[in-house]
Structures are given as structure tokens and as C-alpha cells.
Amino acid sequence: VRIFARLVAVWTGMLTYYDWTDSPNCLKTKIVLLELDAPFEQVSVDRTTLRGDAYRAKFPTGMAPAIEDGEVRISESGAIALHLAARHGRLIPGEPAARARMAQAMFVEASLLSPTVGGSGLFGELYRPEAERNERRIVELRERAQQVARVLGGLLAAGPYFAGEVSIADAQLYAAVAKSIEAKVFDAPPANLVAWYERMTARPQVVRARAQYTHFR
Ligand SMILES: N[C@@H](CCC(=O)N[C@@H](CS)C(=O)NCC(=O)O)C(=O)O
């Protein structure tokens, strides 16, 4: 099936999207694809595929999401989002100050939010069997998560979305923020962050995307 999907994509010049239903990171890319109404062939992968030599030869990170789009073959949801937004000329503000705020929010997601609550942070720790959990680290990460929620509230001061208008930054931040709010990781999240989460959750493309991922169904 995977080879067939790839052949169809090569014939039609269509983008191939490597998706893992257990991956919150794939939700980000799916939101971008649906918001852009971009045509794509989906190849479903799992942990075994990701750890295999064939996948790693294509994508050295060994991670999902990943895409092949003509000459472009990349993983990393942020890089994928930038590529897709530039290609479609949407979800990326033209105005330099708004574009800079978009980039700021994306880097905060990658350097602050994701390491705190993501697979190598709090959720990674909570998924371990109880006997293997590092309780001290869990307490520290929970405290840090409150600070990150305040940072995100501060970044949203400019308007309803992180760049003012909706952009790829919102898709990038949505997965970890939604998971954290729904798992009650943030004790007292800023009201504007909760309002942004509700605004995003109500978008029809986000509803469609969420239904496809185990952590968000
Ligand atoms: N920074 C990356 C993170 C991607 C990532 O962590 N993907 C996970 C799934 S959520 C993965 O592929 N893990 C591989 C594994 O568990 O073997 C991104 O934003 O795309």
C-alpha cells in the first residue's frame, strides 16, 4: 500500500504525508494540511516503521510527521509547516512584524513547550509504568508547565491568534496546549490561552484533524 501510494504521488506530483495516528506531533501537520486544503497521499506509519532502516534513510530523525513534496523530503513539523505555508502563500503573515511573532511562537513551542510537556517531558514521564516514574522530575515539569502557560498567555496579548491572524504557529502550538489543558496539566491557565484553545478547537479543520489521532479522539 505504501509503495502504491508513493507511486501515485510521484505520478500526480502530489505531496506524500507520513502519518502516525498515535502521534500528537502529526496532529499539527494534519491541521496545516486541512486548513490549506492541500491535496496529499497519506502513508500510515507506526513505531516499527519509524525505527526501520528504510524510513531512517529517507528521514534521518526517524520521526513522524514527515513529507515528500517533489524535491523536498523533510521531517520536523515546524519545517513542514513553513514549507507548506510558503508553497500555498497562506497561514503565514506577509507583514514582517506579524511574521516575526509567528516565528517567535513556533520557536517557543519547540524550545519551551514541547520539552516541558511533550514526549521527552511531562507526558513522556507520565506514560511510564508507575514504578519507573521520576516523581521529582514530574513535580518540576508541572511547575515549569505553569510558567510556560503564562508565557503563552503573554504571547497571545497581540490578538486572537499568536501572529494576530491565524497562522501555522497556531497549528504548531495546538497539539501540546490542547493535550495539557485536557489533561489538566496547567493549574490556572491564563484566560486568553483557554479562549484561544476553545477558538482553535471549534475550527472545522481542527475538529476533522482531531478525530484522526488517538490522543485527541
Ligand atoms: N520536533 C518533532 C517531534 C516529532 C516527534 O517527536 N515525533 C514522535 C511521535 S509524536 C516520533 O516520531 N517518535 C518516534 C518514536 O517514538 O520512535 C516535530 O515537531 O515534528
Side-chain angles (χ1 to χ4, degrees):
V1 171
R2 197 174 308 144
I3 291 169
F4 183 69
R6 181 70 194 130
L7 280 175
V8 170
V10 170
W11 282 328
T12 57
M14 200 184 279
L15 175 141
T16 304
Y17 167 51
Y18 293 84
D19 180 76
W20 183 18
T21 52
D22 283 348
S23 161
N25 283 291
C26 288
L27 173 67
K28 306 176 196 170
T29 302
K30 186 58 69 67
I31 291 172
V32 173
L33 287 165
L34 297 182
E35 289 277 357
L36 290 172
D37 203 13
F40 62 93
E41 289 290 340
Q42 181 162 305
V43 175
S44 295
V45 295
D46 56 17
R47 185 166 270 131
T48 310
T49 319
L50 295 174
R51 299 206 171 159
D53 291 343
Y55 191 84
R56 291 198 174 204
K58 281 188 174 187
F59 305 107
T61 62
M63 299 234 187
I67 59 159
E68 288 179 285
D69 189 14
E71 303 279 280
V72 175
R73 176 187 286 169
I74 48 171
S75 60
E76 282 299 320
S77 59
I80 295 169
L82 282 166
H83 168 72
L84 293 174
R87 200 180 202 274
H88 289 259
R90 283 178 45 225
L91 296 182
I92 185 163
E95 201 260 312
R99 191 182 288 219
R101 280 199 301 275
M102 178 200 82
Q104 174 179 239
M106 290 174 73
F107 280 98
V108 165
E109 189 273 336
S111 68
L112 203 55
L113 178 64
S114 183
T116 303
V117 300
S120 55
L122 188 58
F123 284 115
E125 207 60 68
L126 294 174
Y127 290 148
R128 285 184 216 282
E130 221 166 300
E132 290 171 28
R133 283 185 207 158
N134 180 339
E135 292 300 337
R136 216 177 113 188
R137 185 160 184 254
I138 290 178
V139 170
E140 282 169 13
L141 288 169
R142 273 193 187 277
E143 277 168 16
R144 203 176 308 158
Q146 311 316 315
Q147 294 160 10
V148 177
R150 281 195 290 276
V151 169
L152 296 176
L155 295 183
L156 271 171
Y161 294 102
F162 280 94
E165 62 193 85
V166 70
S167 76
I168 50 174
D170 301 292
Q172 286 303 106
L173 281 148
Y174 182 75
V177 171
K179 234 178 131 203
S180 300
I181 286 181
E182 288 161 24
K184 301 197 176 5
V185 162
F186 300 142
D187 287 335
N192 65 345
L193 183 64
V194 176
W196 169 85
Y197 155 75
E198 286 168 353
R199 195 173 297 125
M200 285 294 290
T201 305
R203 292 179 76 87
Q205 297 85 347
V206 174
V207 173
R208 269 179 64 205
R210 280 184 64 118
Q212 300 172 34
Y213 296 94
T214 45
H215 293 276
F216 299 92
R217 291 203 254 260

